[in-house]
Amino acid sequence: MELFPPVKPSLLIVDDSPANLSLLAGLLIEHYSVKTVNAGSRALKVASEQQPDLILLDIMMPELDGYEVCRRLKADPRTREIPVIFLTSKTDPDSERLGMTLGAVDYISRPATPAVLLSRVKAHLVAAANTRALRVSNEYLEFEVSRRTRQMAALQNVTILALASLAEARDSETGNHLQRTQRYMELLCRQLGNNARFSDYLSTERIQLMVRCAPLHDIGKVGIPDRILLNPGRYKPADFEIMKTHCVLGRNAIANARASTGENDDFFQIAEELIYSHHERWDGTGYPQGLAGDAIPIPARLMALADVYDAIISPRVYKDGLPHARAAQIIADGRGRHFDPDVVDAFVSLNAEFQAVAAGFADSDAELQEKALSLSRSIA
Ligand SMILES: [Fe+2]
Ligand SMILES: [Fe+2]
C-alpha cells in the first residue's frame, strides 16, 4: 500500500439531472476526486468553498442556468481561475459562442463519448496546472527582480554619497549643500515635467537618476590642489583656470568607470552630463566647453540653477549667505543669460518649496565652525 497516494485532481460536476450526474461520476471517479451538485446556487457555494480543479457545467437548469453560473464564477476572485467546461445538449453555434465568451475553456456537446470527455478534461487540467506553475514562477521572478533593483539602487546611492562626501570633505561646502541641491533638483524636475520642452526627457526613471546623481556634481574637486580649493572666494586667474578643471576631472572619473564596466546606461550618461556641464551658461559664456542654449544637457541646466541658488543663500567661511529674496532676484536676472529661461520660470513658481528646503537643511553655526576648523587644519 502506498503511504501517500498521489492526490487526484478534483472535479465539480453540475447537472440538474440525477441520471446525467451518476453517469458522469461513474466515468470520471476512477481518475478524479468527484463532487456532484444538481443546482447552480449549490455549485457556486461548493466552488468558492472547495476550489475544485475543474468544473463540468450543464447549461439548461432551473433557477440559475449554466451561463449565469459561469458568469458568477468568473466574476468572483475566489473562483475566477477554475477552468469551466460546458457539457450540454444545446449544440447550436450561438449557444456555443455565448458559452465561450463567458470565459469557459471548452464546450462539449452531448452525447460525448467517454474517450473524448476524458481526454478533454485531462487536457484542460494539464493546461490549468501549467498556467498556475507559470504564474507562480513569474510572481517569484518579479519579486526577485524588484528586490535586486532595490538593492542596486541602494548600493548606487551609498556609492554616490561616499564619493560625494570625499569631495565635500576637502571643500568649503558642507554636506547639507549636497542634500539641499539634491532636493532642489527634484523640485525642478517635477515642475518641468509639465513643460513641453522637458516632459519627453523627464521620465520617472531619468528624474530618479538625476536626483541620485546630483550630489556628484563637484566630485572632480578631489583633484584640485589644496592651495586653490581651500582658498575659495578669491582665485587668481591662473588658479581659476585650474579650479575649472574639476568638471573635466569628475567627468573623466565617471567615464573611466563606465569604460571598465562596459555598461552604457542612463546612469553614466546623466552623471557625466551633470558633472561636466554644470558650469555652462545659457548664453555660452560658461565652462568647460562654452556650450549655449539647448546644447547644454538638461541635467546640467537644472543642476546649474540648484547649485548657484544654494551658493548664494549659504554662508561660507569667507562670506555671508544672502536672503532668499535677493537670491531669487539674482536668479531671475540670469534668465536667458546664465540659465535656461524655462528653468528660471520653474524656480519662480517653486519659491516656497525652495525656501522650505533651504530652511529645513540649513547649515547650523556648529556645522560651519566645524567646517572652518577642519579646513584650517588642512591648510596648516
Ligand atoms: Fe562645480
Ligand atoms: Fe555645488
Side-chain angles (χ1 to χ4, degrees), residues 41-261:
S41 54
R42 187 91 189 101
L44 292 171
K45 188 169 177 336
V46 172
S48 68
E49 286 172 3
Q50 301 183 9
Q51 312 275 312
D53 293 313
L54 185 142
I55 299 174
L56 275 173
L57 185 55
D58 183 24
I59 292 180
M60 286 182 294
M61 295 183 289
E63 298 174 58
L64 290 183
D65 68 8
Y67 294 137
E68 185 54 29
V69 173
C70 187
R71 210 175 267 127
R72 293 191 195 183
L73 286 169
K74 296 298 158 192
D76 184 342
R78 289 169 302 174
T79 53
R80 181 178 298 154
E81 307 293 334
I82 303 172
V84 172
I85 299 177
F86 281 118
L87 183 59
T88 175
S89 43
K90 277 170 82 80
T91 53
D92 61 291
D94 283 348
S95 299
E96 286 184 5
R97 194 177 315 115
L98 176 58
M100 299 314 285
T101 58
L102 290 177
V105 292
D106 209 342
Y107 194 103
I108 302 176
S109 309
R110 284 195 171 107
T113 65
V116 163
L117 193 65
L118 280 169
S119 89
R120 279 158 83 167
V121 166
K122 186 176 173 189
H124 287 295
L125 282 168
V126 169
N130 287 343
T131 305
R132 263 198 310 277
L134 200 62
R135 194 176 49 237
V136 169
S137 107
N138 279 344
E139 279 168 5
Y140 171 75
L141 279 179
E142 266 168 37
F143 171 81
E144 195 54 21
V145 166
S146 88
R147 190 180 70 84
R148 295 215 179 173
T149 308
R150 278 200 310 276
Q151 226 173 30
M152 284 295 297
L155 199 65
Q156 215 175 46
N157 279 339
V158 168
T159 315
I160 286 170
L161 288 176
L163 268 177
S165 69
L166 280 179
E168 176 264 318
R170 300 187 54 242
D171 192 4
S172 62
E173 281 162 346
T174 68
N176 288 345
H177 168 68
L178 301 181
Q179 297 218 38
R180 288 188 302 259
T181 47
Q182 189 171 42
R183 283 169 172 80
Y184 302 144
M185 179 66 123
E186 182 162 19
L187 289 171
L188 290 172
C189 283
R190 304 244 174 264
Q191 187 68 21
L192 287 164
N194 305 320
N195 179 314
R197 277 183 60 224
F198 294 83
S199 52
D200 276 355
Y201 179 82
L202 290 175
S203 64
T204 309
E205 293 73 25
R206 285 214 187 90
I207 291 178
Q208 272 175 0
L209 288 174
M210 284 166 70
V211 173
R212 205 177 290 158
C213 290
L216 289 176
H217 64 276
D218 273 340
I219 50 160
K221 284 187 179 173
V222 287
I224 303 300
D226 278 358
R227 72 176 172 80
I228 298 170
L229 195 65
L230 303 180
N231 188 20
R234 267 175 237 296
Y235 297 118
K236 291 186 209 125
D239 288 349
F240 187 51
E241 287 310 309
I242 295 173
M243 185 63 193
K244 284 174 172 180
T245 63
H246 78 275
C247 301
V248 184
L249 294 171
R251 192 276 312 262
N252 289 352
I254 301 291
N256 290 338
R258 180 216 293 249
S260 71
T261 63

Side-chain angles (χ1 to χ4, degrees), residues 299-362:
R301 274 183 257 160
L302 274 56
M303 191 69 230
L305 190 148
D307 198 27
V308 168
Y309 170 79
D310 202 62
I312 298 171
I313 62 155
S314 302
R316 288 285 173 265
V317 181
Y318 56 92
K319 73 164 182 79
D320 290 331
L322 293 181
H324 169 82
R326 184 73 194 103
Q329 189 54 52
I330 294 171
I331 299 281
D333 290 345
R335 187 182 188 278
R337 294 179 2 206
H338 192 152
F339 307 111
D340 182 328
D342 284 350
V343 179
V344 172
D345 293 346
F347 164 78
V348 170
S349 59
L350 290 164
N351 240 294
E353 289 85 348
F354 266 66
Q355 275 182 283
V357 171
F361 296 87

